[in-house]
Amino acid sequence: MDKNRYLLVDTETVGGFGNPLVYDVGLAVVDSSGKIEFTKSFAISDIFYGLPALMNTAYISKKISPYFEEIRNGERDVVTIEYTQSYIEYITKTYNIRAIISYNMPFDYRALNNTLTYVKGKKSRFFGEIRLWCLLKMVRQTVGRQKTYIKWCNKHGFITKNGQPSLTVETLCRYIARDPDYKEKHTGISDIFDEVKIFSWVQRQHKAMNRDYLPRD
């Protein structure tokens, strides 16, 4: 029996691509087939409540109203970024996690590091000594090369400015569901469920691939 377990992490951020700060973290523990064994959803208080000017920008303010209801209903915990770091360490040990995965690991890695550094006031690294996998990197080596996927993207106009098939989470989930109108919700926990579908799809390809993201810092 395959007992490998993986932790998928998704973040939602403010501050733009250059200096992202995390206000939302979604987590899911899955097995090698993508079967979900555990999920958790956090609002990061240091940013969610601590930086109201950023959180009240036009784009973000439209997104956060459901968060307050989820918090009131106990569906989402409000915690600090340092608690989130400790919790992820706890999960990796409890489930004997083989690797932590995010869709765009370079971005999420930087965003989590930035947030921890902002709160602690000194340069900090969010993840400890554990393998980090980039799901987008895995997609590019497998399903992103498939003729059927490329043909479908061309048919529906899901093409980048460079003329390549789109490999966003939303586009991939549209393809998996065969629903070109599917819309990503863009919260940590809802996006996690989408990314689990993509992880499961990639795993079913049974292809050799380079999964690792190796930070330079």
Side-chain angles (χ1 to χ4, degrees):
M1 178 182 292
D2 182 359
K3 295 185 178 180
N4 286 323
R5 298 293 180 271
Y6 306 91
L7 177 63
L8 273 78
V9 177
D10 184 84
T11 69
E12 297 296 320
T13 66
V14 291
F17 189 81
N19 186 35
L21 296 170
V22 176
Y23 68 86
D24 176 8
V25 174
L27 305 172
V29 173
V30 301
D31 65 13
S32 292
S33 69
K35 179 182 177 182
I36 296 175
E37 299 189 2
F38 175 83
T39 63
K40 197 71 174 177
S41 181
F42 291 144
I44 306 303
S45 59
D46 310 285
I47 309 302
F48 190 83
Y49 291 119
L51 293 177
L54 276 177
M55 293 302 300
N56 288 330
T57 56
Y59 173 69
I60 297 298
S61 62
K62 293 178 182 178
K63 293 177 57 178
I64 63 172
S65 55
Y67 283 71
F68 295 106
E69 183 177 354
E70 292 173 3
I71 291 167
R72 286 193 298 270
N73 293 340
E75 299 170 23
R76 181 185 298 274
D77 295 340
V78 181
V79 301
T80 66
I81 191 67
E82 290 178 276
Y83 176 89
T84 305
Q85 182 188 38
S86 298
Y87 190 85
I88 287 176
E89 290 176 356
Y90 165 76
I91 289 297
T92 58
K93 293 176 182 177
T94 300
Y95 285 90
N96 193 27
I97 296 297
R98 181 184 177 194
I100 294 176
I101 306 170
S102 80
Y103 192 74
N104 185 352
M105 181 57 81
F107 177 81
D108 286 324
Y109 179 85
R110 178 158 46 90
L112 289 164
N113 284 356
N114 281 356
T115 309
L116 191 61
T117 295
Y118 167 78
V119 169
K120 297 181 75 171
K122 61 181 180 179
K123 187 173 182 179
S124 302
R125 183 174 179 178
F126 188 87
F127 294 118
E129 297 302 320
I130 187 167
R131 295 184 74 176
L132 303 177
W133 286 5
C134 180
L135 185 52
L136 175 56
K137 187 177 183 179
M138 296 160 67
V139 165
R140 284 174 173 154
Q141 297 172 78
T142 54
V143 294
R145 297 176 177 176
Q146 292 178 355
K147 292 180 180 179
T148 52
Y149 178 74
I150 296 170
K151 182 178 179 180
W152 185 86
C153 285
N154 277 292
K155 176 181 177 181
H156 293 284
F158 299 136
I159 303 298
T160 68
K161 294 179 180 179
N162 296 326
Q164 300 300 312
S166 169
L167 294 178
T168 65
V169 169
E170 188 170 78
T171 302
L172 290 161
C173 285
R174 286 171 170 175
Y175 178 78
I176 291 170
R178 295 302 194 272
D179 178 6
D181 297 319
Y182 175 79
K183 296 292 184 183
E184 197 177 0
K185 293 182 179 178
H186 294 294
T187 68
I189 195 62
S190 63
D191 289 359
I192 276 290
F193 289 119
D194 286 342
E195 289 158 25
V196 168
K197 294 175 188 175
I198 296 168
F199 174 72
S200 178
W201 182 32
V202 169
Q203 289 290 93
R204 290 197 301 272
Q205 308 307 307
H206 300 291
K207 299 284 188 180
M209 62 188 113
N210 180 3
R211 300 172 172 88
D212 290 305
Y213 170 65
L214 302 175
R216 295 181 180 180
D217 61 355

